[in-house]
């Protein structure tokens, strides 16, 4: 039998043992204790490994709830969600506990068109439930999740600080009989970037079977690539001190480059208050857009290197003062495109019909006939 995972072996058993995000944990516990039929569901969101799932599981154990847990990435369709959670949302527990607690994890994993009605089924469930419902997601800002966000009490979990992760890693090493150099633990915690699960898994990978752990034993962890969502990539670009730092941000981005262009465009006025900085940044971004358009129209994909340089380094180097934190906004253009999708589909269908009947191109039908 294989060795148990340390992330399970040293999982918190009490709410007081959860490291980091104590304010979010307390908000969730207060929500659960005060929940009544008709109350809003709780929506826990934040980066992976920050304690969302373990908070729900430990709170259920500590407060005496029967936990019904579902990973929305595995059960994605309307039929599957109703079959899994429908009865549980209406009937009490058989085990004498306070009641049931429904937990739907990774709801941001069911936004695709192939997930026939999954989000609609969750919306219907939270409107009609007789028991508390908790949702969790890494990235809740997809336009398709807007209805869920508005219907829930949002509770943010932030990345856990290095100074909180290192003592946990030290306790695990002591329990496992490993004499660990604090510098090695610091490297692991730094590279985890606030993800406790990642830090513990990395510790097990480098320390299991050893009696001593040195900085040299963990250096190989630095070579691994990590990927980031839109908020992190924006911060990396806007906070970059050199052109190289800004350009490196895009290589780790989970966001496709055209969407990232919209994110930068939306948030430039929030990040750069100085008119000269803003003008210089917009000049670089507009030139990036020109190169992107030319690369796509003429299939000159070698031009994309200039697009990437201008969108990242060009924008970052427009800043003259110190980086300041701002709350980034979701691109309005993407929201508008999502809201007008059906209308645009009807318009394109009409254009296709006009073009075929009038023996003209779609472009001509759209410009010359459709307006009338």
């Amino acid at each position: 039998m294989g060795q148990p995972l340390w992330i399970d072996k040293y999982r918190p058993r009490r709410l007081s043992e959860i490291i980091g995000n104590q304010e979010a944990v307390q908000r969730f516990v207060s929500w659960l204790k005060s929940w009544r039929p008709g109350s809003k569901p709780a929506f826990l969101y934040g980066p992976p490994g920050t304690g969302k799932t373990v908070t729900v599981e430990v709170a259920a154990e500590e407060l005496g709830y029967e936990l019904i847990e579902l990973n929305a990435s595995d059960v994605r369709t309307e039929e599957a969600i109703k079959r899994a959670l429908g009865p549980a949302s209406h009937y009490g527990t058989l085990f004498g506990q306070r009641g049931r607690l429904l937990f739907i994890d990774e709801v941001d994993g069911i936004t695709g068109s192939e997930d026939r009605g999954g989000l609609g089924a969750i919306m219907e469930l939270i409107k009609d439930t007789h028991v508390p419902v908790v949702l969790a997601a890494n990235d809740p800002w997809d336009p398709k999740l807007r209805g869920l966000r508005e219907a829930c009490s949002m509770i943010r979990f932030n990345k856990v600080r290095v100074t909180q992760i290192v003592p946990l890693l030290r306790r695990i090493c002591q329990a496992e009989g490993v004499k660990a150099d604090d510098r090695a633990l610091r490297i692991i915690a730094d590279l985890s970037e606030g993800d406790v699960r990642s830090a513990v898994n990395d510790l097990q990978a480098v320390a299991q079977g050893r009696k001593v752990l040195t900085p040299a034993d963990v250096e190989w962890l630095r070579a691994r690539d990590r990927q980031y969502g839109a908020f992190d990539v924006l911060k990396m670009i806007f906070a970059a001190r050199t052109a190289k730092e800004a350009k490196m941000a895009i290589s780790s981005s989970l966001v496709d480059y055209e969407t990232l262009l919209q994110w930068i465009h939306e948030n430039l006025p929030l990040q750069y208050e100085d008119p000269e900085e803003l003008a210089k940044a917009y000049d670089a971004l507009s030139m990036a857009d020109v190169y992107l358009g030319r690369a796509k129209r003429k299939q000159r994909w070698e031009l994309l290197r200039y697009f990437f340089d201008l969108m990242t380094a060009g924008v970052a180097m427009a800043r003259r003062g110190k980086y300041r934190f701002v709350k980034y906004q979701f691109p309005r253009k993407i929201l508008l495109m999502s809201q007008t999708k059906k209308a645009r589909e009807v318009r394109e269908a009409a254009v296709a019909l006009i073009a075929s009947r009038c023996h003209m191109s779609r472009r001509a039908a759209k410009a010359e006939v459709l307006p009338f």
Side-chain angles (χ1 to χ4, degrees), residues 290-308:
V290 169
Y291 276 112
L292 176 62
R294 195 161 296 173
K296 291 167 69 175
R297 284 195 308 274
K298 299 185 179 295
Q299 301 292 293
R300 294 279 306 278
W301 302 112
E302 69 273 15
L303 296 177
L304 282 180
R305 72 184 71 165
Y306 304 112
F307 162 71
F308 292 134

Side-chain angles (χ1 to χ4, degrees), residues 18-270:
I18 297 173
I19 66 166
N21 287 299
Q22 283 304 309
E23 183 179 345
V25 172
Q26 289 306 316
R27 280 191 62 197
F28 173 71
V29 171
S30 297
W31 168 85
L32 185 55
K33 287 180 175 179
S34 63
W35 187 89
R36 299 290 182 273
S39 299
K40 284 186 173 184
F43 195 150
L44 315 187
Y45 70 99
T50 51
K52 302 184 295 294
T53 301
V54 77
T55 295
V56 177
E57 292 174 346
V58 174
E61 290 176 16
E62 199 164 308
L63 300 178
Y65 282 87
E66 179 192 357
L67 183 65
I68 308 294
E69 192 169 349
L70 178 74
N71 191 306
S73 294
D74 299 329
V75 184
R76 302 153 71 100
T77 65
E78 178 179 10
E79 180 185 353
I81 289 171
K82 285 184 175 179
R83 185 171 61 247
L85 294 180
S89 67
H90 287 87
Y91 302 111
T93 177
L94 298 175
F95 301 102
Q97 287 127 316
R98 177 179 292 192
R100 282 200 172 111
L101 174 62
L102 303 191
F103 178 37
I104 309 174
D105 203 358
E106 296 188 17
V107 293
D108 46 342
I110 58 168
T111 59
S113 58
E114 72 276 9
D115 301 334
R116 302 175 298 279
L119 288 175
I122 293 176
M123 286 294 295
E124 187 177 328
L125 173 78
I126 64 178
K127 288 177 183 176
D128 195 33
T129 183
H130 297 170
V131 301
V133 176
V134 188
L135 312 176
N138 296 332
D139 179 10
W141 305 112
D142 189 298
K144 293 179 182 177
L145 296 177
R146 183 179 180 183
L148 281 179
R149 294 197 304 270
E150 293 175 348
C152 296
S153 296
M154 304 292 288
I155 302 177
R156 178 173 176 78
F157 280 68
N158 297 302
K159 292 180 178 181
V160 181
R161 294 195 300 273
V162 169
T163 52
Q164 295 172 307
I165 296 176
V166 169
L168 170 66
L169 302 183
R170 190 184 300 119
R171 288 197 301 272
I172 293 174
C173 285
Q174 290 169 350
E176 293 291 328
V178 178
K179 186 178 180 182
D181 189 312
D182 265 14
R183 291 172 296 171
L185 300 182
R186 177 82 190 201
I187 291 171
I188 295 171
D190 281 335
L191 292 175
S192 75
E193 295 171 337
D195 183 337
V196 177
R197 187 187 307 115
S198 172
V200 175
N201 287 338
D202 284 350
L203 178 66
Q204 183 172 13
V206 298
Q208 193 165 42
R210 296 179 185 271
K211 293 297 182 184
V212 177
L213 186 67
T214 69
D217 297 323
V218 302
E219 278 299 328
W220 66 271
L221 293 173
R222 294 187 189 277
R224 297 178 313 178
D225 291 329
R226 294 195 181 271
Q227 293 184 305
Y228 305 93
F231 291 96
D232 292 318
V233 174
L234 281 182
K235 182 179 178 182
M236 291 167 71
I237 291 172
F238 288 134
R241 291 166 293 183
T242 65
K244 184 178 180 181
E245 279 185 29
K247 288 160 67 174
M248 286 292 290
I250 202 166
S251 65
S252 304
S253 175
L254 286 169
V255 185
D256 70 86
Y257 55 82
E258 290 189 65
T259 303
L260 183 58
L261 180 73
Q262 297 300 326
W263 274 93
I264 295 172
H265 168 67
E266 181 72 28
N267 290 285
L268 264 181
L270 302 177

